[in-house]
Amino acid sequence: MPPVLQLKGITKAFPGVLANDHIDLELNEGEIHCLLGENGAGKTTLMNILYGLYKPDAGEIYVRGQKAEIENPNDAIQRGIGMVHQHFMLVPVMTVTENVMLGVEEKRNGVFLDRAKVAARIREISHDYGLEVDPDAYIKDLPVGIQQRVEIIKVLYRQADILILDEPTAVLTPQEVEGLFKILRSLVAKGKSLIFITHKLKEVMALADRITVLRLGRTVGTVTPSEVTPERLASMMVGREVNLTVSKKPPKVGDVALEVKDLYVEDERHQVAVRGLSLDVRAGEVLGIAGVQGNGQTQLVYALTGLAPVLSGEIRILGKPVRKPTPRKILELGVGHVPEDRQRHGLILSFPIHDNMVLCTYYQAPFARGINLQEKVIVANAETLAKQFDVRTPNVFVPASSLSGGNQQKVIVAREFSRPIKLLIASQPTRGLDVGSIEYIHSRIIEKRDEGAAVLVVSSELDEILALSDRIAVMYRGQIVDIVPAAQASKEYLGLLMAGISPADAAKSVAPVAAGEVERVF
Amino acid sequence: MAAENLSTKIPSRKRIATGIALLVIGLLMSVFFLPGTETGQTATFGLNLSSSAAILLPDMTLPVQTSLYVLVLIVVFMGAYHMARGIRSPGALFGVVAFCFVAAFLIWATRGRSLSLIGMLTSSLVRATPIALAALCGVISERAAVVNIGIEGIMLIAAEASVVTASLSDSLYIGLMVGILSGALIAALHAWLVIRFKVDQIVSGVAINIFATGTTSFLSSKYLQHQSDLLNNSGTFPIISIPLLSKIPIIGPIFFENNLIVYLMMIIVIVMHIVLYYTPWGLRTRAVGEHPKAADTLGINVYLMRYVNVIVGGMIAGLGGAYFTLGSVGRFDEVMTAGKGFIGLAAMIFGNWNPLGAFTSSLIFGFADSLQVKMQILKVPIPSSILGMAPYIVTMIVLTGLVGQAIPPAADGQPYEK
Ligand SMILES: Nc1ncnc2c1ncn2[C@@H]1O[C@H](COP(=O)(O)OP(=O)(O)OP(=O)(O)O)[C@@H](O)[C@H]1O
Ligand SMILES: [Mg+2]
């Protein structure tokens, strides 16, 4: 029996980059095939070609042994290919039903939308594959985990049997990832074939039947999980040895750099999201805030960086009380911020890289003299930083939008870390990044700490928190439920706190601290 | 615990401010309107359009001072209640207060005299017609994410094109067709520029407006004014009374005794509502306006959807243009659209980019317009030039007060790149 899908010699060039260079890929029936590769390796490009969004410069696609000309998404859909995109393709102001039927609407009397019929079909699919979702809910009210289900239902509704999932786990909580894996296994059990893209080696090892690794637009090789170790996969991706653990010296703790007392903050919908939170971070230490996303971490960081008003409570940065903080006031105190949403709060995507590198300092010498920007200095600065921080880009004049996710993040890190900062606030610093970039950014964060900066890291990746932190605070429903020293913290205990179990109850079932040092692999 | 208290404490500051504003409005109403009145004075409002109507309603006679006191009290009460308890819906609050204010103004202006209320409401609908058509053009284009601020220009050109062809051919229907077609053509040009060449949508719209003002004025002064009998004298569509329906008191004369273009406008409102929310075409249009990339990945042709919607919008604006000439005065005057296209865009925003909302807010603008005309007739002691500003002032108040709250389609105004 031929493979359900064969890609042969797919090649695609964008101005200045060869995104896909003669890539071959085979997908067998009932298989989960993982596609691994650094940021910018060409995974999304390859899948977009398969789905008809891009036209390849060369190469052939065979579906069930037959040569397929896929000119647009309709051709792909007709051949049973469905795709869950890296960035969700859902219309937030429409209901689940409307999103699912879009493009293949059921009609009543030949004219009118038949929402009821589609909703019934959605319920059937939900039932068959364990994808619980309310067909009448609006997408904007659903958590990302459920939105993901809607994306999968969309694909199943179109009766796809080849499913492409492009980094479906990047924005999910650990529980949601577990749920997704169950769903994916049930899909395969029903004869579907899957291409699964991720950066997380653990997921690959847990899920894949076969793994294909891409690097710089080329296929490095195809292996099975039993043949390899995570370390081996990482070095195949990056092309060098990668250190999957963070090595760090014991902290040299100094004065309190950030002090928060009884803080209350609202979210955009005027719900109180941070309720009476207190913490402090000292110079030379990393305080990690663990917690399932949506427990007020975002609003906490917004308040600390001046992006959201404080309802009540006190914030002191380097001993100075901050009232009515604005982002600039806070930056000028010596605070660096790596924001959660890099495209919204970190970069101006349409600006060239060199301007993005001076977004917080453009008005100061040497970048400005009076009201004149010193273009030459700004460009020279960007070129130095790009080299120093290994930003992969043809030059510093291209817009930030043309960089891959990992390199966009490096631009932000370069900008923030090159200032003399005394307090670093980093939110989800490595979301969506490949192991190489994660290793790099982690080592930079530890470097800052060793230079004596106080660091506050917020992440929904427990492994990341464990790897970086000196102390770990667990946030639940807008409050810090417990703070434990990281070196001995037990993962199970933190997991229970994150799920909302009280410290007292959690301590009854597992020990809060493990015996001895624990090895941290991310 | 503390958190819950906080969440109710914070909005209350805003509530107190709004409440105080309402109290001030109540105070202003009594300061403005009460002093000129006498005890026992009445104001009479006519409820029949003509004395030949099948069912004659008695005129509504209101005691001036008592009514004013009641209206002021309602506003003051709303303010106090809002401060104490909070009124959830800002729309309802705004609506009731605006109603009280306008009613007080009308009663004050009519004191000791009579005013045909139905006449005024009828002319509100008529005056709202071009505004509503402009707004509907805006709704359908912007739902597909193409901003068209050239509506004013499209209407101007359609107004001139339709009157000239109607005069020459001696057929109002041919004129109407040409008006609609010219609208479609200019909208197609706009679509082509902004979709194909990604020209800035505002720039293209402004260019259309400048081009339209210049060309129509030039043609008008060069040809139309000299041969006005031949070129600029079309006559207008007659009033058609719908049998039975037009006999319903109040509703009948307002909605069912109008000319063709007013009826078409109302039909378009309903049809557009159904199309947008109950058909595949509408679902796709809205998807293209909210998240074109998502639509594209589902095999929907984003560009085609945008072209068609913008051109259909142009046809509606063309109809609106024809209204100025064929539906109203039967001849073309320079710059006769007088900003109605822009007011239409305000109505679209106020109506939250949906057809029924756009229609309702057009009625408010039409009402402001008809109010100022009536007031001039009633010789209210306010200069007519200031009264004439009423529709534009309402536009500004609405835009400043509500623009922040209305939510446009997410991709509105952005070109789509694959
Ligand atoms: N539309 C585009 N125009 C120009 N260059 C592009 C475009 N899309 C992708 N690229 C470039 O092609 C290369 C491959 O990008 P692609 O998005 O396929 O990477 P990826 O493997 O999916 O990375 P990530 O893990 O960050 O999602 C990158 O160098 C990227 O900058
Ligand atoms: Mg990708």
Side-chain angles (χ1 to χ4, degrees):
Chain A
M1 200 172 58
V4 278
L5 185 71
Q6 267 178 302
L7 303 181
K8 285 189 186 163
I10 301 287
T11 302
K12 172 82 187 172
F14 288 115
V17 262
L18 194 54
N20 285 173
D21 184 5
H22 294 91
I23 294 186
D24 298 326
L25 184 72
E26 267 181 20
L27 178 67
N28 292 327
E29 187 157 351
E31 175 187 42
I32 299 182
H33 197 127
C34 277
L35 201 52
L36 261 182
E38 286 181 286
N39 295 117
K43 306 176 296 289
T44 300
T45 305
L46 183 66
M47 292 305 112
N48 282 344
I49 288 171
L50 175 55
Y51 192 63
L53 287 169
Y54 293 149
K55 240 181 116 58
D57 300 333
E60 288 161 352
I61 300 173
Y62 292 84
V63 180
R64 283 174 218 88
Q66 299 214 327
K67 189 161 189 288
E69 296 293 337
I70 300 178
E71 302 268 329
N72 55 47
N74 274 334
D75 292 345
I77 294 167
Q78 259 160 32
R79 292 189 165 76
I81 301 172
M83 179 153 170
V84 174
H85 297 264
Q86 185 166 3
H87 305 283
F88 288 166
M89 294 295 170
L90 297 168
V91 184
V93 296
M94 290 185 181
T95 63
V96 171
T97 306
E98 289 173 331
N99 269 284
V100 170
M101 67 157 82
L102 186 61
V104 286
E105 298 86 355
E106 285 288 342
K107 280 174 275 188
R108 227 168 354 102
N109 305 330
V111 186
F112 300 109
L113 294 173
D114 194 344
R115 291 187 169 89
K117 191 164 167 190
V118 177
R121 179 87 188 94
I122 292 174
R123 287 201 186 87
E124 249 170 62
I125 296 175
S126 294
H127 181 79
D128 288 354
Y129 296 96
L131 290 155
E132 271 329 302
V133 59
D134 171 13
D136 299 324
Y138 282 89
I139 297 295
K140 61 176 189 304
D141 300 332
L142 297 176
V144 278
I146 309 286
Q147 292 189 17
Q148 181 110 58
R149 286 186 198 166
V150 179
E151 284 282 23
I152 297 173
I153 290 175
K154 250 165 80 178
V155 170
L156 295 174
Y157 183 82
R158 288 165 175 72
Q159 308 192 315
D161 41 27
I162 301 170
L163 276 72
I164 306 164
L165 296 113
D166 194 352
E167 286 192 45
T169 55
V171 291
L172 299 189
T173 64
Q175 286 90 332
E176 286 171 334
V177 171
E178 268 314 303
L180 177 70
F181 282 10
K182 246 189 228 140
I183 291 162
L184 296 186
R185 291 201 183 97
S186 87
L187 288 173
V188 174
K190 294 209 158 90
K192 312 267 180 199
S193 317
L194 263 57
I195 299 179
F196 185 90
I197 299 178
T198 181
H199 288 296
K200 296 179 189 154
L201 302 175
K202 270 188 205 154
E203 293 177 358
V204 177
M205 301 302 282
L207 198 67
D209 293 312
R210 283 195 298 164
I211 305 159
T212 293
V213 181
L214 300 186
R215 185 167 74 235
L216 299 172
R218 291 202 201 101
T219 321
V220 180
T222 300
V223 292
T224 62
S226 56
E227 297 168 4
V228 287
T229 59
E231 285 77 11
R232 174 83 195 102
L233 281 176
S235 64
M236 278 174 82
M237 276 166 67
V238 184
R240 60 178 165 83
E241 289 303 312
V242 177
N243 187 359
L244 291 180
T245 57
V246 178
S247 52
K248 53 182 199 227
K249 300 191 280 279
K252 288 198 215 63
V253 180
D255 293 340
V256 174
L258 170 70
E259 199 180 347
V260 179
K261 261 203 204 120
D262 205 26
L263 184 75
Y264 285 87
V265 189
E266 278 184 337
D267 64 13
E268 283 92 352
R269 289 186 230 156
H270 299 291
Q271 307 286 320
V272 179
V274 176
R275 25 186 97 220
L277 179 143
S278 304
L279 58 78
D280 49 46
V281 190
R282 288 169 175 273
E285 72 161 352
V286 178
L287 176 70
I289 295 194
V292 175
Q293 224 185 341
N295 277 292
Q297 300 97 317
T298 307
Q299 284 72 27
L300 170 64
V301 172
Y302 280 5
L304 294 180
T305 52
L307 290 170
V310 169
L311 276 189
S312 77
E314 202 186 343
I315 300 174
R316 280 168 172 272
I317 293 178
L318 304 167
K320 290 190 203 77
V322 218
R323 296 214 169 75
K324 300 234 171 222
T326 61
R328 179 173 286 185
K329 246 196 238 168
I330 289 177
L331 292 183
E332 286 179 347
L333 284 172
V335 178
H337 178 209
V338 178
E340 175 181 335
D341 187 340
R342 55 177 160 259
Q343 305 203 333
R344 196 164 135 216
H345 291 129
L347 296 167
I348 301 178
L349 286 176
S350 57
F351 277 19
I353 293 169
H354 61 86
D355 283 342
N356 270 299
M357 291 276 202
V358 292
L359 281 185
C360 12
T361 43
Y362 68 90
Y363 57 94
Q364 296 168 343
F367 304 123
R369 209 181 288 151
I371 58 165
N372 289 316
L373 286 181
Q374 301 301 306
E375 201 65 29
K376 273 197 198 124
V377 185
I378 293 175
V379 171
N381 168 67
E383 274 163 353
T384 323
L385 288 181
K387 202 168 291 154
Q388 194 184 337
F389 285 81
D390 188 31
V391 180
R392 308 233 177 113
T393 170
N395 56 57
V396 297
F397 304 102
V398 299
S401 59
S402 73
L403 297 183
S404 79
N407 284 301
Q408 290 180 353
Q409 189 75 343
K410 283 187 192 166
V411 171
I412 297 172
V413 168
R415 179 182 71 216
E416 298 298 317
F417 285 41
S418 61
R419 291 186 293 129
I421 52 172
K422 300 197 192 71
L423 169 64
L424 171 67
I425 299 172
S427 195
Q428 316 289 358
T430 59
R431 173 179 285 171
L433 301 197
D434 64 51
V435 282
S437 310
I438 294 177
E439 177 196 33
Y440 179 80
I441 284 174
H442 280 179
S443 67
R444 285 288 179 159
I445 289 177
I446 294 303
E447 204 178 287
K448 271 287 159 199
R449 155 202 182 248
D450 291 345
E451 285 167 14
V455 181
L456 180 73
V457 174
V458 177
S459 175
S460 46
E461 294 287 337
L462 192 48
D463 290 320
E464 173 162 49
I465 292 286
L466 284 163
L468 282 176
S469 310
D470 298 308
R471 289 188 299 143
I472 298 175
V474 180
M475 200 162 165
Y476 180 73
R477 297 238 171 117
Q479 282 165 334
I480 288 193
V481 286
D482 198 10
I483 300 188
V484 288
Q488 306 109 32
S490 94
K491 205 171 163 179
E492 293 70 27
Y493 177 70
L494 295 176
L496 288 178
L497 294 190
M498 283 165 68
I501 315 285
S502 74
D505 290 343
K508 272 182 221 149
S509 51
V510 295
V513 292
E517 283 278 329
V518 195
E519 199 197 350
R520 309 296 191 205
V521 182
F522 54 83
Chain B
M1 245 355 267
E4 274 66 38
N5 290 342
L6 265 164
S7 68
T8 48
K9 200 175 90 196
I10 294 300
S12 81
R13 207 184 294 152
K14 226 188 292 170
R15 256 176 28 206
I16 288 174
T18 317
I20 290 175
L22 294 189
L23 295 184
V24 170
I25 291 176
L27 192 74
L28 286 179
M29 278 165 63
S30 41
V31 171
F32 280 149
F33 303 137
L34 278 174
T37 59
E38 294 153 25
T39 40
Q41 217 173 19
T42 58
T44 307
F45 294 97
L47 296 181
N48 304 298
L49 196 55
S50 60
S51 49
S52 65
I55 308 164
L56 279 178
L57 290 177
D59 286 346
M60 187 168 68
T61 306
L62 296 173
V64 172
Q65 285 193 337
T66 322
S67 312
L68 286 177
Y69 280 127
V70 169
L71 291 168
V72 168
L73 274 179
I74 294 178
V75 171
V76 169
F77 175 77
M78 295 276 290
Y81 188 85
H82 188 61
M83 269 197 276
R85 288 286 177 78
I87 293 170
R88 283 261 160 232
S89 150
L93 197 65
F94 181 79
V96 171
V97 172
F99 173 82
C100 289
F101 189 87
V102 172
F105 178 70
L106 273 178
I107 291 171
W108 167 75
T110 325
R111 67 191 187 282
R113 286 177 281 194
S114 79
L115 170 80
S116 166
L117 194 60
I118 290 299
M120 197 164 87
L121 293 179
T122 309
S123 81
S124 299
L125 179 67
V126 170
R127 284 164 192 279
T129 298
I131 298 174
L133 287 167
L136 290 166
C137 165
V139 169
I140 192 132
S141 322
E142 294 204 11
R143 276 299 183 167
V146 179
V147 173
N148 186 352
I149 63 158
I151 296 176
E152 178 83 8
I154 293 180
M155 294 209 302
L156 205 51
I157 289 174
E160 188 168 55
S162 57
V163 80
V164 171
T165 46
S167 306
L168 283 173
S169 67
D170 211 16
S171 159
L172 287 169
Y173 293 98
I174 289 182
L176 189 67
M177 281 298 145
V178 170
I180 293 173
L181 219 70
S182 61
L185 238 106
I186 300 163
L189 175 71
H190 178 65
W192 190 55
L193 289 175
V194 305
I195 297 170
R196 178 76 204 279
F197 299 105
K198 306 199 164 57
V199 171
D200 187 285
Q201 304 186 355
I202 303 298
V203 171
S204 167
V206 169
I208 289 174
N209 287 333
I210 295 173
F211 168 79
T213 318
T215 324
T216 53
S217 303
F218 170 73
L219 291 177
S220 166
S221 63
K222 181 106 194 206
Y223 303 106
L224 268 56
Q225 283 168 17
H226 302 300
Q227 290 174 287
S228 80
D229 276 348
L230 178 67
L231 293 174
N232 197 10
N233 185 9
S234 65
T236 58
F237 281 106
I239 303 279
I240 307 166
S241 294
I242 309 258
L244 290 178
L245 288 178
S246 63
K247 301 285 184 244
I248 306 171
I250 302 180
I251 309 259
I254 297 177
F255 290 103
F256 301 110
E257 274 187 53
N258 285 300
N259 70 31
L260 179 69
I261 298 180
V262 181
Y263 288 128
L264 283 177
M265 180 271 289
M266 291 191 282
I267 291 170
I268 293 171
V269 169
I270 295 164
V271 170
M272 194 187 286
H273 179 80
I274 293 172
V275 168
L276 269 183
Y277 297 102
Y278 298 98
T279 68
W281 180 270
L283 187 69
R284 291 174 183 200
T285 298
R286 288 186 292 134
V288 161
E290 292 288 343
H291 196 334
K293 184 117 210 180
D296 192 15
T297 61
L298 295 173
I300 292 168
N301 187 334
V302 176
Y303 298 131
L304 180 73
M305 295 298 299
R306 290 192 174 174
Y307 271 114
V308 175
N309 279 292
V310 173
I311 292 172
V312 169
M315 295 167 79
I316 296 172
L319 181 66
Y323 169 82
F324 285 96
T325 47
L326 310 185
S328 175
V329 291
R331 43 174 266 260
F332 180 83
D333 295 317
E334 285 175 25
V335 204
M336 71 189 305
T337 48
K340 293 291 192 303
F342 291 111
I343 297 184
L345 286 174
M348 166 195 79
I349 296 171
F350 191 28
N352 228 333
W353 283 267
N354 84 58
L356 295 178
F359 173 63
T360 316
S361 36
S362 301
L363 283 181
I364 294 174
F365 290 116
F367 181 76
D369 200 6
S370 115
L371 186 68
Q372 59 95 1
V373 173
K374 276 278 164 2
M375 290 306 111
Q376 294 185 22
I377 296 169
L378 278 176
K379 300 225 167 20
V380 173
I382 298 175
S384 66
S385 51
I386 292 195
L387 280 175
M389 283 161 42
Y392 307 98
I393 291 176
V394 172
T395 310
M396 288 199 305
I397 293 175
V398 162
L399 283 180
T400 45
L402 284 138
V403 161
Q405 293 167 29
I407 304 162
D412 204 5
Q414 296 163 14
Y416 178 60
E417 263 172 285
K418 280 230 177 208

